[in-house]
Amino acid sequence: MEGRRRFAQLLIFCFSLLMLVVVSAQPLHHLPNPHWYPATATWYGEPEGDGSDGGACGYGSLVDVKPLRARVGAVSPELFKGGEGCGACYKVKCLDKSICSRRAVTVIITDEGPGWYSSGGRTHFDLSGAAFGRMAVAGYSNRLRNRGVISVIFRRTPCKYPGKNIAFRVNEGSTDYWLSLLVEFEDGDGDVGSMHIREASSSEWLEMKHIWGATWCRIGGPLRGPFSVKLTTLSTARTLSARDVIPRNWSPKATYTSRRNFFT
């Protein structure tokens, strides 16, 4: 009996150790924080307008067309994160039941908000007029906008771009010795924590540097395409690689679309 009991204990220990190894080998992907947090919100531009033209993230005219159109927002520094928060998506909901609807508006971070609203560590959203008005009950959009600064709650939400794959814009001024990229239409986290490129003739991933907004660059060379691009999200460290997405004869100001996204 004693021998059998020890053998059973040994089996349980070995099984537990095996499960620990298996679980440890799996990538840990945490969903965005589901909790709501307090903030303030304002709006800018035209009352029914799309918001900023461009913004500190560097998306340029992309903010004026769907799917970003009228869903853009500027945020305070703790959410902007020096530009690494660009592309993240949030749900924002106002609180006054007499004028606010129960639905939240989804906004994509494309800009950094004015500093005076964020004094004292406050979290602030500066929304397009259209996005701000959508938080009101039907027929009360103008009345809500007339209030100026309002109290809201917010939380992270996965970005969703149905039918679109991640794209990489080669920024103006890029050369064989200075390659600058911007990520577009990233499902899921939306943000970027690191980026690497790999030349077709090499197995080495070259680290890119974050320089401003949503822009990353690689200095050195000469760099020879085609290039594969690997990005890692800031929020959950998920990684996606797009093989040879930028062709050998790439051009500055051109956008190259991959065959992949985090939800496809």
Side-chain angles (χ1 to χ4, degrees):
M1 288 294 293
E2 182 66 25
R4 290 182 179 180
R5 183 163 56 249
R6 289 184 177 179
F7 181 70
Q9 290 174 342
L10 180 61
L11 284 178
I12 293 173
F13 173 77
C14 292
F15 179 76
S16 300
L17 184 61
L18 176 63
M19 291 302 296
L20 179 61
V21 171
V22 171
V23 171
S24 299
Q26 301 302 313
L28 298 177
H29 300 324
H30 301 288
L31 294 174
N33 193 330
H35 300 293
W36 293 90
Y37 296 96
T40 54
T42 51
W43 63 279
Y44 64 103
E46 295 297 321
E48 294 293 341
D50 299 333
S52 65
D53 181 13
C57 288
Y59 294 122
S61 59
L62 193 67
V63 304
D64 298 322
V65 296
K66 291 183 178 180
L68 272 69
R69 184 178 181 182
R71 299 175 61 201
V72 303
V75 290
S76 46
E78 72 272 17
L79 297 184
F80 188 70
K81 301 174 184 176
E84 289 187 338
C86 290
C89 297
Y90 292 86
K91 286 189 177 294
V92 183
K93 180 165 40 175
C94 61
L95 300 174
D96 188 340
K97 295 181 180 179
S98 67
I99 194 171
C100 299
S101 70
R102 295 182 178 180
R103 67 179 180 274
V105 63
T106 300
V107 296
I108 304 160
I109 302 311
T110 61
D111 203 354
E112 184 173 20
W116 59 83
Y117 283 118
S118 306
S119 60
R122 290 190 307 172
T123 302
H124 185 79
F125 287 82
D126 201 18
L127 307 180
S128 68
F132 194 93
R134 286 175 186 163
M135 293 188 291
V137 296
Y140 282 77
S141 295
N142 285 331
R143 189 175 298 183
L144 182 63
R145 282 190 287 262
N146 288 339
R147 293 195 174 184
V149 183
I150 64 171
S151 296
V152 297
I153 53 177
F154 74 97
R155 67 174 175 86
R156 282 290 296 273
T157 190
C159 298
K160 298 177 182 179
Y161 299 106
K164 287 189 174 294
N165 289 331
I166 288 180
F168 300 92
R169 184 201 306 169
V170 180
N171 288 316
E172 185 176 5
S174 290
T175 69
D176 292 340
Y177 292 86
W178 188 85
L179 180 63
S180 176
L181 302 179
L182 183 141
V183 181
E184 300 175 354
F185 308 124
E186 178 194 335
D187 276 344
D189 292 345
D191 53 22
V192 179
S194 68
M195 281 183 62
H196 295 74
I197 61 169
R198 186 180 66 194
E199 298 170 286
S201 60
S202 173
S203 60
E204 180 184 4
W205 286 103
L206 305 174
E207 182 179 7
M208 304 187 79
K209 300 296 184 182
H210 178 237
I211 52 176
W212 69 278
T215 298
W216 296 73
C217 78
R218 174 69 189 183
I219 302 173
L223 299 169
R224 303 300 185 194
F227 301 112
S228 299
V229 181
K230 178 172 66 174
L231 67 86
T232 302
T233 68
L234 179 68
S235 299
T236 62
R238 298 182 68 191
T239 298
L240 179 146
S241 299
R243 184 176 179 180
D244 296 339
V245 62
I246 299 176
R248 183 182 305 275
N249 58 340
W250 59 269
S251 300
K253 300 193 292 185
T255 299
Y256 301 100
T257 302
S258 73
R259 298 180 180 179
R260 303 191 61 193
N261 213 328
F262 283 107
F263 288 168
T264 56

